[in-house]
């Protein structure tokens, strides 16, 4: 059950789920810096809900080894 507003992630088509995630990720910074506490709470809840739905649908998604703790530790350090 969702605590945020909007169509539940489980009811979104794959195309709409990806569209909504792109939008949320694109608006995160501005919401974080300038949104009211309620707006930030809603944004966080909706993002979490849709990200969890994406992960549920794609449990075997490709993971870039550089985006793991071990992979990041092995990456060259930039000055």
């Amino acid at each position: 059950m969702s605590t945020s507003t909007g169509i539940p992630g489980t009811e979104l088509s794959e195309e709409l789920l990806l569209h909504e995630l792109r939008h949320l990720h694109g608006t995160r910074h501005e919401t974080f810096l300038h949104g009211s506490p309620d707006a930030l709470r809603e944004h966080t809840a909706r993002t979490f809900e849709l990200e969890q739905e994406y992960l549920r649908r794609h449990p075997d998604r490709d993971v870039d080894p550089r985006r793991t703790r071990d992979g990041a530790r092995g990456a060259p350090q930039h000055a």
Side-chain angles (χ1 to χ4, degrees):
M1 176 177 234
S2 170
T3 59
S4 67
T5 58
I7 298 170
T10 55
E11 295 179 18
L12 293 173
S13 68
E14 186 72 9
E15 181 180 359
L16 282 175
L17 176 63
L18 291 172
H19 172 80
E20 290 294 315
L21 283 168
R22 276 190 295 276
H23 175 74
L24 287 165
H25 290 147
T27 59
R28 182 63 181 177
H29 188 70
E30 286 298 313
T31 304
F32 177 73
L33 291 178
H34 306 292
S36 69
D38 286 342
L40 183 57
R41 191 171 26 262
E42 274 299 310
H43 198 280
T44 299
R46 182 65 170 169
T47 301
F48 183 76
E49 175 194 0
L50 297 186
E51 286 176 344
Q52 292 304 301
E53 177 59 21
Y54 181 86
L55 293 173
R56 185 189 69 77
R57 292 182 191 188
H58 302 280
D60 297 323
R61 74 190 198 293
D62 288 333
V63 175
D64 184 337
R66 295 170 295 180
R67 302 298 298 176
T68 65
R69 186 175 298 243
D70 289 339
R73 287 185 180 141
Q77 300 297 314
H78 296 279

